[in-house]
Amino acid sequence: NGKVERFNRTLLDEWAYARPYHSEQERRAAFGEWLHTYNHHRGHTALKGQPPASRVPNLTGQYS
C-alpha cells in the first residue's frame, strides 16, 4: 500500500495540481505525456536514479 500511496501523492503533486488547467479535459490530455515521462525519463531514488522502464525487460523497441 505504501508504494501506491506514494505514487498517488506524486501523481497529485506533479500532474493533477502541478499547474492550473483550464478544464478537466485539458488535465486529462496532459496525463499521457506525464505518465510517459514518469515511467521513461524521471529518475527514481529506489532505482538509483533510473526510471521504472529501465527495470522492465522487452519493452517495445528493447527486444534482444
Side-chain angles (χ1 to χ4, degrees):
N1 287 342
K3 291 179 183 179
V4 171
E5 289 176 16
R6 181 62 182 118
F7 175 75
N8 285 338
R9 179 177 164 200
T10 300
L11 185 68
L12 292 173
D13 290 346
E14 296 183 11
W15 166 70
Y17 301 121
R19 64 180 187 86
Y21 295 95
H22 297 291
S23 67
E24 184 61 25
Q25 183 178 0
E26 183 182 352
R27 183 189 316 266
R28 288 180 190 161
F31 179 72
E33 182 178 340
W34 177 85
L35 190 60
H36 175 82
T37 299
Y38 180 87
N39 284 322
H40 294 273
H41 304 288
R42 182 183 178 277
H44 295 247
T45 57
L47 301 176
K48 299 179 182 172
Q50 296 296 311
S54 70
R55 302 282 301 211
V56 180
N58 296 324
L59 285 176
T60 301
Q62 293 183 2
Y63 296 108
S64 56

